[in-house]
Amino acid sequence: MKPLADVRIISLEQYGAGPFGSVHLADLGADVIKIEDPNVGGDVGRYVPPYNDGEDSLFFETFNRNKRSLSLDLSSPAGRAVFEDLVRTSDAVYSNLRGDVPAKIGITYDDLKHLNPAIVCCSLTGFGMTGPRAKEPGYDYILQGLAGWMSVTGDPDGPPTKSGLSLVDYSGGFVAAISLLSGLHAAKRDGVGGDCDVSLYDTAMSLLTYPATWHLNAGFEPVRTKNSAHPSLVPFQAFEASDGWFVVGCAKEKFWERLVVAIDRPDLGADPRFANFALRGENQGELLPILEQAFATQPVDYWLSRLQPAGVPSGPINDVAQALTEPHTLARGLLVETEHPTFGTVRQVASPVRFGSESPQYRRAPLRNEHFDEIVRDLGYSTERVAELTGQGAFGKQASGART
């Protein structure tokens, strides 16, 4: 049995951050039921170009495997009634909406505890449910700017730069998943659920980590560094070889000692200017040009063939295609396949979250409202009750089928 096979999560999720958080829970066996608004065609992620076809997209596939889908109009009294029946039989309500919306649509713990005292209500919002920005929508790009990330990313002479991936969104998804699991543990122990007020902003700020500590306690002013160099460890950065780029990281003194031998420059190890971390930092203007000149004489593979056997942390700077075909990627089982009626065999990257020795199983993302019949059957609704709810607009214009 998968570790979360006994957990049911009702998810009002959309686009990237929220679905990214819950997909790992679904991979671990949780029954994640996506509530999709029939009035807007469901999760907007279904329509993200360029690889989209009708109500399906490869973007949507990435974040929604192993989940079930139900079209439900929560703005209608009948739809709300179905939602409340789901809450009674579930462990958590999960959402990623604007900070003021969970309370507005009644999905906080105070709104739902009378239905299920142990329900955990996890809200991943842009800025949280309190504070002056609570009503603002939160987008990864904007948050990278607000939280100071862009000020420390990029070339020193270039503009502030965004990360190449939506790391605030994805980190926020992980934080939401951790918070939800913590709430489930407490609810199982105490019989009482509660709210998880998680935000992308809080996540982005927390990831400032030690530079923030340095600034708050010692006035440290972070700056962008040439060749993505570490702010305090020298050498620890990208170097250009004759045919491309690679990274060398001397995070311990022993790595520096090994490096100078591996590149046939023992004189650098004996040079008092470079005798320790502090001195290499002070004299990096003299050291780095020497290393850059040396590394430029040979291709990447040559240097890695010398550095890695010597135990010097190093690696190539791969492009995406190279990363996906890296032998270690394949050996770790990080590429998985699902079968889709539109896209055929869909290959994607697996969740890094693991428990036990059993290999995870993967099922394609659901078509919109694909699981209507089995979900309403699980709720114990009779044919007559389904017809009544349908007539009252609970499920949108149509009640069944994959495309309502």
Side-chain angles (χ1 to χ4, degrees):
M1 181 178 292
K2 293 184 178 181
L4 298 182
D6 59 340
V7 172
R8 172 175 286 180
I9 301 168
I10 309 305
S11 186
L12 287 74
E13 59 181 25
Q14 58 185 337
Y15 203 63
F20 180 80
S22 63
V23 75
H24 304 288
L25 305 178
D27 286 350
L28 290 169
D31 179 18
V32 178
I33 300 178
K34 287 180 67 73
I35 302 300
E36 300 198 62
D37 185 350
N39 299 310
V40 295
D43 186 340
V44 67
R46 292 184 175 278
Y47 309 98
V48 172
Y51 305 107
N52 60 304
D53 186 338
E55 291 190 353
D56 294 293
S57 73
L58 290 180
F59 181 96
F60 183 81
E61 287 297 311
T62 302
F63 301 109
N64 292 285
R65 62 179 178 262
N66 285 337
K67 301 178 184 179
R68 298 198 289 169
S69 172
L70 174 68
S71 287
L72 192 63
D73 183 0
L74 266 66
S75 66
S76 71
R80 177 72 187 191
V82 175
F83 172 74
E84 292 187 353
D85 284 342
L86 286 168
V87 170
R88 290 185 176 95
T89 60
S90 298
D91 301 288
V93 173
Y94 175 76
S95 65
N96 68 302
L97 304 167
R98 201 178 61 219
D100 59 328
V101 173
K104 186 178 298 184
I105 66 174
I107 60 170
T108 68
Y109 182 70
D110 280 346
D111 297 313
L112 302 176
K113 62 185 180 183
H114 68 289
L115 303 169
N116 181 351
I119 197 72
V120 174
C121 299
C122 182
S123 299
L124 172 59
T125 65
F127 293 94
M129 292 189 284
T130 61
R133 293 184 180 270
K135 294 184 180 181
E136 295 182 20
Y139 291 96
D140 182 281
Y141 205 148
I142 295 171
L143 288 159
Q144 288 200 30
L146 273 172
W149 289 22
M150 293 175 65
S151 73
V152 296
T153 307
D155 191 85
D157 298 325
T161 303
K162 171 188 174 295
S163 165
L165 298 171
S166 299
L167 292 182
V168 176
D169 279 353
Y170 305 151
S171 299
F174 277 132
V175 170
I178 294 169
S179 299
L180 188 150
L181 291 173
S182 299
L184 291 179
H185 177 80
K188 183 176 181 179
R189 181 191 62 208
D190 304 331
V192 179
D195 287 308
C196 304
D197 179 6
V198 182
S199 86
L200 298 178
Y201 183 79
D202 295 358
T203 299
M205 289 299 299
S206 74
L207 290 173
L208 290 177
T209 60
Y210 68 88
T213 304
W214 289 354
H215 176 76
L216 291 169
N217 295 280
F220 173 73
E221 293 291 343
V223 295
R224 295 196 292 277
T225 58
K226 181 183 177 182
N227 295 340
S228 301
H230 191 279
S232 61
L233 302 179
V234 179
F236 203 136
Q237 64 177 70
F239 288 98
E240 187 173 14
S242 63
D243 66 343
W245 291 80
F246 67 109
V247 176
V248 176
C250 292
K252 297 180 179 180
E253 292 291 358
K254 66 180 181 181
F255 296 143
W256 166 248
E257 295 166 3
R258 295 171 184 175
L259 172 66
V260 297
V261 174
I263 65 173
D264 294 328
R265 290 298 306 269
D267 57 301
L268 297 177
D271 193 318
R273 296 174 298 172
F274 314 136
N276 55 44
F277 280 133
L279 289 170
R280 290 195 295 277
E282 292 173 12
N283 297 299
Q284 60 182 294
E286 299 169 62
L287 173 60
L288 292 178
I290 297 173
L291 294 178
E292 290 168 354
Q293 184 177 14
F295 287 134
T297 63
Q298 298 288 345
V300 170
D301 286 347
Y302 171 84
W303 291 117
L304 295 181
S305 71
R306 304 199 65 172
L307 296 172
Q308 291 178 342
V312 179
S314 53
I317 297 182
N318 287 333
D319 59 25
V320 172
Q322 291 169 325
L324 291 172
T325 55
E326 172 74 31
H328 200 71
T329 299
L330 305 179
R332 292 288 294 170
L334 291 175
L335 300 183
V336 300
E337 296 182 353
T338 58
E339 296 300 322
H340 190 276
T342 301
F343 299 115
T345 300
V346 175
R347 303 178 70 213
Q348 57 182 288
V349 180
S351 170
V353 181
R354 304 288 178 90
F355 175 79
S357 58
E358 184 179 349
S359 298
Q361 300 298 309
Y362 298 95
R363 185 180 70 246
R364 63 165 172 79
L367 306 178
R368 186 160 64 90
N369 204 37
E370 180 175 355
H371 300 93
F372 173 86
D373 290 334
E374 61 187 59
I375 292 172
V376 297
R377 184 171 62 248
D378 288 347
L379 288 173
Y381 290 168
S382 66
T383 302
E384 293 75 18
R385 177 59 173 157
V386 171
E388 178 185 15
L389 290 166
T390 301
Q392 295 171 350
F395 310 111
K397 295 181 179 179
Q398 298 177 339
S400 62
R403 310 281 185 173
T404 66

